[in-house]
Amino acid sequence: KQWYQRSVQEAVVSTQSTGVAVWYTGKLEDGTVFDSNVENARKKERKALKFKVGTGLVIRGWDEALLTMCYGEKAEINIDPDWAYGKKGNPEAGIQPNTRLIFEVELETPVNIGV
């Protein structure tokens, strides 16, 4: 895999409530994919996940990581259980309690998301 290297001049998502569009693949530590919008991109409904970063609409590990990324950057994010689904897990997604998650993410350009 080749990951994007950030340059100092690029804009970092530095404020909460910034609208972002993200392509992602979520995996368990054994490599099992539990969710992805990249794989779905091959289908007709090609859509990046759009939300306001830093507002608690996604797991804390995503909010914290995306606030440090640049637009256009690709990264692998390793998220400890406390910043993912914790003691409860997310059984519907196949995520057991206290599971560490790994996401490959690509942060697209800023998007305008209504109030």
Side-chain angles (χ1 to χ4, degrees):
K1 295 178 185 175
Q2 194 170 14
W3 299 103
Y4 181 81
Q5 190 66 27
R6 165 186 343 186
S7 70
V8 179
Q9 295 83 14
E10 294 177 283
V12 173
V13 177
S14 59
T15 59
Q16 292 188 348
S17 299
T18 300
V20 296
V22 180
W23 294 100
Y24 69 91
T25 298
K27 300 178 185 178
L28 304 177
E29 287 187 291
D30 68 3
T32 302
V33 174
F34 62 86
D35 193 15
S36 177
N37 67 352
V38 175
E39 291 178 8
N40 292 338
R42 294 184 189 113
K43 298 178 182 176
K44 231 178 189 179
E45 312 90 38
R46 183 169 192 240
K47 293 181 184 176
L49 178 63
K50 296 177 182 179
F51 61 97
K52 289 184 178 181
V53 71
T55 59
L57 295 174
V58 294
I59 59 175
R60 182 176 179 189
W62 266 47
D63 272 340
E64 297 292 334
L66 293 175
L67 286 170
T68 69
M69 290 178 65
C70 298
Y71 296 111
E73 182 176 0
K74 293 180 183 180
E76 181 175 278
I77 304 171
N78 292 278
I79 303 175
D80 288 330
D82 289 345
W83 282 19
Y85 294 100
K87 295 176 184 175
K88 293 183 179 181
N90 186 345
E92 293 175 7
I95 301 169
Q96 298 301 312
N98 298 312
T99 299
R100 181 183 184 94
L101 303 178
I102 301 164
F103 286 92
E104 293 175 2
V105 299
E106 180 177 358
L107 183 60
E108 285 195 340
T109 57
V111 295
N112 198 1
I113 298 175
V115 180

